[in-house]
Amino acid sequence: MNHLLFQVEDRPPLFTTVLLAAQHMLAALGGIIAVPLVVGAALKLPADQIITLINAALLGSGIVTMVQCKGIGPVGIRLPCVMGTSFAFVGAAISVGLEHGVPAILGSSLAASVVMIVGSCFMPKIRKLFPHAVTGVVVTMIGLSLVPVAVDWAAGGHAPGAVYGSPLNLGIAAFVLVTVIMLVQFGKGIVSAAAVVIGMFIGYLVCVSLGMIDFSQVQNAPVFALPQPLHYGMTFPLAGIVAMAIAYLVTMVETTGTFMALGAATNTKMRGKTLARGILCDGVGSAFAALLSSPPVSTFAQNVGVVSLTGVASRHVVALTGAMLFLAGLFPVLGAVVVTIPQPVLGGAGLMMFAMIISAGVQLLSHVEHTKRNGVIMAVAIGCGLAVTVRPELLSKLPAFVKEVFGSGITVGALVAVALNLVLPERPLELNDDDEEEEVPQAFLTSEREAA
């Protein structure tokens, strides 16, 4: 079991709660803003419409995060989950948007969210497909899939004008990484728990002193903006609904894995009913987000890394993160300040956080029974998951449907692990003479000694 500084139901002091909540917000904000930015740029939307999409994404993410953490009836897993717009929907959103416009993206998202809402009813059965070997693979793949993201951040990103892999970028990322490690290892109490946000703040100050921060976004951002539900309107093209439904199915697999990782990080047993509440919140939350003019939302895996690293599992802390995201949506200038954080600063902290998820997955795998069957499941699933993670061009010649389903290493790793777990027999059907000589007498000899 992981040693936790704050348990799931703990309520840290107010100042501590605010600092820890801000830490989760910093880890998630870039991802939340990135999706509407990418979709808006691909559809060549005017700047004011992209800002509206970003504000809606922040508002939707904040409200659904609070519901996921606090729970309303059967909705909400009641664990420290940060919700945000998911890259799993980007491909579908762009393809639908290019053909039918933003109203079709939102209408298709609303209609297809039924897939996740209905799917939540079957989570107790789906949970049985995730024994320890499969769960360990999925958690490990989440970390392995996120590490390249942190590496790109550390190198400076691929944005226009960015110098990828420059010594300055790598130096800042390394400085932040070392700072976070020192704070975690040698800090006490709140210093250790808030190591990520403190490390990022120190790195940010260094970047300010080096003149690396562009504050023009802050100066141009509106101070206050009201929510604009149904701002774009909605249409419901059948092709768009099908495309979004596939994306929701993929997200269900990824989210189940993220919940498993969160269970390991918070020492919480993930029962089928618990998963059902979380998946239901993802589905209902995405439908609500569509009404707010936001892309669909899902549970953010990177924030599981924050929990693993800091030992802060309080759901009340992350509920406050939801409130902060909501305020960022009402006050775009706040979000604009956070967006100025240079990517190398995010990369230094992200590398530590995402690597902690890999560590959690390895710990889970270490508790799996060491059999030939489990070894095959773990090896093949992780290998296949890494194949599409490190070489995404592997699928470039395949139909769009295949790329949509198998484009994520997390999804591929999970599906392969589940399939092999179902197909491979629990015990070998036949034992040859060598196997019998090697394995059976060992147990026999042990029992003989005990009898003697």
Side-chain angles (χ1 to χ4, degrees), residues 56-381:
L58 290 168
L59 290 168
S61 298
I63 293 170
V64 182
T65 295
M66 289 187 281
V67 174
Q68 190 74 283
C69 294
K70 294 289 190 178
I72 298 178
V75 182
I77 198 169
R78 294 167 174 82
L79 288 174
C81 291
V82 176
M83 307 295 294
T85 51
S86 173
F87 270 95
F89 296 95
V90 167
I94 291 175
S95 64
V96 174
L98 287 173
E99 189 167 350
H100 303 284
V102 176
I105 296 175
L106 301 175
S108 299
S109 173
L110 176 64
S113 65
V114 173
V115 169
M116 217 163 194
I117 294 171
V118 173
S120 68
C121 301
F122 299 95
M123 289 314 295
K125 293 182 178 179
I126 294 174
R127 172 65 185 89
K128 295 177 182 178
L129 300 177
F130 287 81
H132 291 308
V134 177
T135 301
V137 166
V138 174
V139 174
T140 304
M141 276 310 309
I142 289 173
L144 291 172
S145 297
L146 288 172
V147 164
V149 176
V151 171
D152 282 342
W153 286 346
H158 297 284
V163 183
Y164 190 90
S166 72
L168 179 60
N169 290 337
L170 297 179
I172 291 170
F175 172 74
V176 173
L177 175 61
V178 171
T179 302
V180 173
I181 292 172
M182 298 296 286
L183 291 171
V184 169
Q185 189 65 30
F186 301 108
K188 294 183 180 179
I190 185 60
V191 174
S192 177
V196 174
V197 70
I198 295 173
M200 290 176 65
F201 180 70
I202 294 172
Y204 187 83
L205 292 180
V206 171
C207 292
V208 171
S209 67
L210 294 174
M212 295 177 61
I213 311 296
D214 179 10
F215 289 102
S216 60
Q217 298 178 75
V218 180
Q219 296 168 355
N220 298 329
V223 176
F224 181 78
L226 287 171
Q228 300 184 45
L230 299 173
H231 173 73
Y232 299 95
M234 285 187 177
T235 58
F236 302 91
L238 181 60
I241 295 173
V242 172
M244 280 292 183
I246 294 170
Y248 274 112
L249 287 172
V250 172
T251 305
M252 273 186 65
V253 177
E254 290 190 0
T255 301
T256 301
T258 303
F259 286 153
M260 295 295 188
L262 188 63
T266 60
N267 298 331
T268 303
K269 189 170 183 179
M270 299 305 294
R271 303 178 186 278
K273 291 182 179 179
T274 307
L275 291 172
R277 292 201 305 265
I279 295 294
L280 180 59
C281 186
D282 272 43
V284 173
S286 292
F288 174 75
L291 295 174
L292 280 179
S293 305
S294 165
V297 297
S298 67
T299 304
F300 267 21
Q302 52 261 51
N303 289 86
V304 179
V306 178
V307 174
S308 300
L309 179 61
T310 62
V312 178
S314 171
R315 64 190 178 102
H316 306 292
V317 165
V318 180
L320 181 59
T321 300
M324 290 179 173
L325 290 170
F326 178 78
L327 287 175
L330 291 178
F331 296 91
V333 68
L334 298 179
V337 171
V338 178
V339 173
T340 63
I341 298 175
Q343 292 209 349
V345 173
L346 292 171
L351 191 61
M352 182 77 174
M353 292 187 298
F354 302 159
M356 288 298 294
I357 300 178
I358 299 175
S359 176
V362 171
Q363 289 179 23
L364 285 173
L365 293 175
S366 69
H367 295 295
V368 175
E369 184 181 0
H370 296 291
T371 63
K372 186 185 297 185
R373 174 183 181 273
N374 287 339
V376 169
I377 292 173
M378 294 185 289
V380 175

